[in-house]
Amino acid sequence: MQILSFNFLLYTICGMWRPIKWSSKCSKMLYSVFTCFSMYLLISLTLTQLLDIILVIDNVDDFAMISLNLLSLISVIFKAVNAIIRRDKIVHLIEILQKKPCRAYNKEDNDIQMKFDRLIRSYSIKYTSLASISATGSIIGGMLNILEGQLAYRTWVPYDYTSPLLFSITSIQECVTIIFASIVNVATETTILGFCLQICAQFEILEHRLQRMAKEKKKETFRISLNDASNETGKLSEHILHHLCIIRLAKMFNNVFSQVFFIQFFISLMVLCLTLYHLSSHMTFADIAPLIVYTFFLFLQIFIYCWAGNEVMLKSTGLSETVYQIDWILMPINERKDLLMIMKRSTRPIIFTSSFLVTLSLESYGSLLKASYSAFNLLQQS
C-alpha cells in the first residue's frame, strides 16, 4: 500500500492496523493479540480515571484537570475502534484511488499525484513532530510525579500499589498508554488529512485531463472522421465517470469517518472549555505551561480537520471554473452538454459532515472557537 504509507505505519505501531501484506495466520493472530493489548491499555486507563472522578475527587479544580485527560482518552478510543471495525472500508478507499479512473495514466498525472503524496507526507511528519512535543511534555510530567512517589497520572486502581513492584508496573503502564493514545491521535488526524488531500489530487488530475483533451481537440482539423468523433466522446465520458467516482469516493470517506468528526468536535468543545477554565484559575507558570502546550495542540488538531475539509470544498467547486476556461466552443453540441453537466454538478460543493451538527470547514472552526469562548464565560460566571 503506497498511498498514505506513513499514516498507516503510525496505526500499525499502536496496534490498530495490521499490514495488508501479512497473510500468514500466525502473524495475523499475533497482531490481533497486540491490538487487544493496546485496547486494554486505553480502556483500563479511561476506566480508572473515570472511577477516580466518581469515587475520589471532591473539588472543581481536580475535576476539571482529570476530565481533560478522560475526555481525550474517550476520543482516542472512538478513533481506535473506528479504525479497527471499518478496516475493510478504509482498504476499499485505498483500492479505489489505485484503480481506474483515479490512478495516473501518464507522466503529467503521475507528477500531480506525486506532488500531493509528498505534501501529505510532509504535513504528516510536521504534525507528528508537533504532537511529539505535547506527548513528551505529558510524559515528563508523569515522570516527575513518579519521582515524588505518586502514580504517573491520577487514577483509582482496585489494588494497593504502594509496593515498589506494583507501583512501577502501574506507572509504566500509564506512560505506555499515553504514548499509544498520542500515536492513535496523530495517525487518525494525518489519515483524514491524507484522504482529503488525495481527493484534492483527483480533482486536479481531472482538471488537467479536461484541459489536455481541449488542447488536443484544438490541434485537430475541423474535418474529422466519425470514428475520431466517437473516440472524443468516449474520452469525455471517461472524465464524467471520473468526476462521479471522486464524488462517490468523498461520500464513502465521509461515511467511514463521520462519527470521528462528531466525537472530535464535541469532545474538543468540552476540553477547550475545561482547559480555559483551568488556565484562568491557575496563574503559576508550572501549572499553566503544560496546559498552554496542550491547548495549542488541541486548536491545531481541530484546525487540521477543518482546513482539510475546506480544501476539498474549494477544489470541488473550482472544477466548474476550470471547465469554463477551456476552449469548449470548438466542441460539438453533445460534448458541450456533457461539460455543462460537470459544471452543474460542481456548483454543489463536497462537504464533509456528521449529521447536521458538524461541518468540516474554516467557518465551522471559527464557530467552534466562539462557542468555546461563550461556554468559558458561562463557566467563569457560575
Side-chain angles (χ1 to χ4, degrees):
M1 182 182 295
Q2 296 180 352
I3 294 178
L4 306 181
S5 57
F6 176 77
N7 312 84
F8 287 105
L9 175 62
L10 294 176
Y11 265 137
T12 302
I13 292 173
C14 61
M16 305 305 161
W17 187 268
R18 173 175 48 81
I20 295 179
K21 294 182 179 179
W22 290 11
S23 56
S24 67
K25 293 183 178 179
C26 181
S27 60
K28 290 181 179 180
M29 184 183 65
L30 289 176
Y31 196 82
S32 296
V33 173
F34 179 45
T35 300
C36 293
F37 174 71
S38 300
M39 290 302 301
Y40 161 75
L41 291 178
L42 294 173
I43 294 173
S44 62
L45 183 58
T46 303
L47 289 177
T48 52
Q49 289 200 334
L50 178 62
L51 289 172
D52 187 53
I53 291 176
I54 296 173
L55 301 176
V56 180
I57 288 179
D58 56 359
N59 61 81
V60 176
D61 289 339
D62 289 343
F63 172 81
M65 195 61 190
I66 298 300
S67 295
L68 293 177
N69 296 330
L70 178 62
L71 290 171
S72 299
L73 285 170
I74 291 173
S75 173
V76 169
I77 290 175
F78 269 97
K79 293 173 183 177
V81 171
N82 188 77
I84 294 171
I85 66 175
R86 295 186 174 172
R87 171 188 170 88
D88 292 339
K89 294 182 179 180
I90 296 174
V91 171
H92 186 51
L93 291 175
I94 295 293
E95 290 174 347
I96 291 175
L97 289 170
Q98 293 177 332
K99 294 179 180 178
K100 293 179 64 174
C102 293
R103 73 182 184 190
Y105 289 165
N106 49 42
K107 184 180 182 301
E108 290 80 8
D109 292 354
N110 191 61
D111 289 342
I112 294 173
Q113 184 64 61
M114 291 296 294
K115 180 186 74 172
F116 277 90
D117 286 343
R118 288 193 294 267
L119 193 64
I120 292 168
R121 188 175 183 85
S122 175
Y123 284 159
S124 299
I125 292 174
K126 291 175 182 177
Y127 184 76
T128 303
S129 302
L130 289 174
S132 300
I133 296 174
S134 178
T136 302
S138 179
I139 295 298
I140 291 175
M143 293 297 182
L144 293 176
N145 290 335
I146 293 174
L147 294 177
E148 294 176 358
Q150 303 174 3
L151 290 176
Y153 304 96
R154 180 166 176 170
T155 56
W156 182 91
V157 291
Y159 53 84
D160 184 9
Y161 61 85
T162 54
S163 67
L165 179 61
L166 289 177
F167 178 79
S168 300
I169 292 174
T170 305
S171 297
I172 292 173
Q173 176 181 325
E174 291 179 350
C175 291
V176 171
T177 304
I178 294 299
I179 294 173
F180 275 30
S182 301
I183 297 175
V184 171
N185 260 331
V186 173
T188 304
E189 268 84 70
T190 56
T191 299
I192 290 174
L193 172 66
F195 273 118
C196 288
L197 291 181
Q198 287 292 344
I199 294 172
C200 292
Q202 290 304 312
F203 274 113
E204 192 162 319
I205 289 173
L206 177 57
E207 291 173 359
H208 174 74
R209 289 175 179 174
L210 289 170
Q211 291 170 348
R212 185 173 67 241
M213 184 193 70
K215 290 178 181 178
E216 291 173 355
K217 189 78 175 178
K218 191 174 182 179
K219 292 178 181 179
E220 292 179 353
T221 59
F222 288 100
R223 297 182 62 184
I224 57 176
S225 67
L226 183 62
N227 289 334
D228 291 333
S230 63
N231 287 336
E232 288 301 321
T233 304
K235 288 181 181 180
L236 187 54
S237 298
E238 289 182 4
H239 299 330
I240 293 175
L241 290 175
H242 188 192
H243 188 210
L244 294 175
C245 181
I246 297 172
I247 294 171
R248 287 196 300 270
L249 177 68
K251 186 176 181 180
M252 292 171 59
F253 167 76
N254 191 81
N255 291 335
V256 170
F257 291 101
S258 59
Q259 284 80 10
V260 174
F261 300 155
F262 176 78
I263 292 298
Q264 183 64 56
F265 270 71
F266 178 73
I267 289 183
S268 295
L269 179 61
M270 298 178 65
V271 170
L272 281 172
C273 295
L274 290 170
T275 304
L276 293 174
Y277 172 79
H278 198 73
L279 284 172
S280 66
S281 58
H282 293 75
M283 300 308 295
T284 62
F285 179 78
D287 290 328
I288 67 173
L291 282 176
I292 290 175
V293 175
Y294 180 81
T295 305
F296 168 77
F297 180 71
L298 189 60
F299 278 114
L300 180 62
Q301 192 176 28
I302 298 299
F303 179 77
I304 289 291
Y305 285 83
C306 294
W307 179 81
N310 197 74
E311 286 296 301
V312 175
M313 184 172 62
L314 294 177
K315 275 289 185 181
S316 63
T317 54
L319 181 62
S320 60
E321 183 178 350
T322 301
V323 173
Y324 181 77
Q325 289 177 351
I326 66 176
D327 293 329
W328 50 269
I329 298 177
L330 301 176
M331 297 182 178
I333 294 178
N334 60 332
E335 293 185 8
R336 296 182 199 176
K337 290 180 179 180
D338 291 338
L339 290 176
L340 183 62
M341 185 188 305
I342 296 177
M343 293 177 66
K344 197 105 169 115
R345 180 57 184 86
S346 298
T347 57
R348 288 188 295 162
I350 293 176
I351 300 176
F352 297 133
T353 63
S354 180
S355 68
F356 62 93
L357 296 174
V358 175
T359 301
L360 299 191
S361 65
L362 294 179
E363 183 179 355
S364 297
Y365 183 70
S367 299
L368 177 68
L369 299 186
K370 292 178 182 177
S372 301
Y373 184 72
S374 300
F376 163 68
N377 285 334
L378 186 63
L379 282 173
Q380 203 173 33
Q381 292 172 6
S382 61

